[in-house]
Amino acid sequence: MRRITWSRVAINLTVLALIVIWTVPTLGLFITSFRDKQAISNSGWWTAFTNPQGSFTLDNYDKVLFGGDGLATAFLNTLAVTIPAVVIPILIAAFAAYGFAWLQFPGRRILFITVVGLLVVPLQIALIPVLKAYLAIDLNGTFLAVWLAHAGFGLALATYLLYNYISQLPKDIIESASLDGASHFTTFRTLILPLSMPALASFAIFQFLWVWNDLLVASTFLGTDKEVQVMTQALVSMTGSRGQDWQLLTAGAFVSMIVPVLVFLSLQRYFVRGMMAGAVKG
């Protein structure tokens, strides 16, 4: 029987305490999202367990999705913004990472150092110049504007992360494909992409969460038009117009949370492997 030490017990108790600290408020908000305004005003959320009859309703979700708040439209707009804003930088960065890792061309090291240097450039200093460029070509207020912005802001991290992984792939595989007559594109498509799935999924999680929860870029390049507003903009608008309706605010919050949670859970098996990409050689 394995000996139980006090340090192990202390670690387990600390982890349990952190889980409770994170979970209890979230559980309270989740239960609140199913209660009506009168129930919230008269009792705490924990009373729903002692008196469940009549405590739960789906009206809050119906109101925020299909009522005047327009959260259903914002939800679809967010999907329309997020999916291309994740796919575009992954495709471009994967090609770039393969080139930096396995192709020999003049200025490769300088270009890669430049890409890495872009990681330290704050997003905020580029917003105004990009916005002026968009206004000059009448691109502001469109999904394309946000796609290009998020793709550009995420390319440096994507290229660096994928390079760390692709450069550590066995050299023999690349050489064997070359000896068999495979072109660089064939090697990239049939070997590099499947083998790089952990790194691709890891960046996809980061980029998806970033774009889905983004407010600054969306507000800058989409404006205030309700026809193209995303979830974060709709929730900010709800906070101003329905500040006292906790049941609606919590319902809206959980509507915005469900997709990122599903994405993370579906890709979590790749997450740690992708984050460890290039950390250990050999």
Side-chain angles (χ1 to χ4, degrees):
M1 183 175 180
R2 188 169 57 182
R3 185 178 179 182
I4 299 177
T5 62
W6 285 108
S7 60
R8 184 180 298 274
V9 173
I11 292 173
N12 291 337
L13 290 176
T14 302
V15 172
L16 179 62
L18 291 174
I19 292 174
V20 172
I21 291 172
W22 277 96
T23 304
V24 171
T26 305
L27 177 63
L29 292 175
F30 183 68
I31 293 174
T32 300
S33 69
F34 289 99
R35 306 182 76 203
D36 57 38
K37 188 173 183 177
Q38 184 177 359
I40 294 174
S41 301
N42 295 335
S43 60
W45 60 267
W46 52 89
T47 60
F49 294 104
T50 59
N51 184 26
Q53 287 82 8
S55 297
F56 298 100
T57 176
L58 293 175
D59 290 343
N60 299 331
Y61 287 91
D62 181 66
K63 289 179 181 178
V64 297
L65 286 172
F66 307 109
D69 297 302
L71 216 61
T73 301
F75 184 87
L76 296 177
N77 289 342
T78 307
L79 284 177
V81 167
T82 304
I83 294 175
V86 172
V87 174
I88 293 172
I90 285 180
L91 289 178
I92 298 175
F95 279 110
Y98 175 76
F100 285 130
W102 297 106
L103 299 183
Q104 300 294 330
F105 55 90
R108 184 182 66 162
R109 183 176 298 273
I110 295 176
L111 286 175
F112 184 71
I113 292 174
T114 303
V115 171
V116 174
L118 291 175
L119 289 171
V120 303
V121 178
L123 161 68
Q124 291 78 6
I125 68 172
L127 290 178
I128 299 303
V130 173
L131 178 60
K132 289 182 178 180
Y134 282 172
L135 291 174
I137 59 177
D138 198 24
L139 193 60
N140 205 50
T142 65
F143 289 157
L144 179 60
V146 186
W147 297 342
L148 295 177
H150 280 301
F153 296 142
L155 268 177
L157 176 61
T159 303
Y160 179 69
L161 180 64
L162 295 178
Y163 170 82
N164 284 341
Y165 194 92
I166 292 175
S167 63
Q168 299 304 313
L169 294 176
K171 187 177 181 180
D172 294 341
I173 297 178
I174 310 299
E175 292 178 345
S176 298
S178 178
L179 291 176
D180 289 339
S183 64
H184 285 296
F185 181 75
T186 302
T187 302
F188 174 80
R189 180 174 55 85
T190 59
L191 292 178
I192 300 301
L193 284 183
L195 292 174
S196 302
M197 189 57 65
L200 295 172
S202 180
F203 175 76
I205 292 174
F206 275 121
Q207 183 74 351
F208 189 96
L209 295 179
W210 168 261
V211 178
W212 186 274
N213 295 317
D214 169 72
L215 176 61
L216 178 61
V217 174
S219 298
T220 302
F221 300 127
L222 288 180
T224 58
D225 186 1
K226 280 196 171 186
E227 293 298 322
V228 295
Q229 72 175 359
V230 294
M231 288 289 296
T232 50
Q233 292 176 291
L235 290 176
V236 169
S237 178
M238 284 181 60
T239 303
S241 61
R242 298 182 178 273
Q244 301 301 318
D245 296 329
W246 297 356
Q247 74 283 3
L248 299 182
L249 294 178
T250 53
F254 275 94
V255 169
S256 69
M257 287 170 55
I258 184 64
V259 173
V261 170
L262 291 177
V263 169
F264 183 83
L265 292 178
S266 63
L267 298 178
Q268 65 174 334
R269 60 178 177 158
Y270 299 113
F271 186 70
V272 175
R273 284 192 291 165
M275 288 304 298
M276 294 296 293
V280 179
K281 292 187 177 182

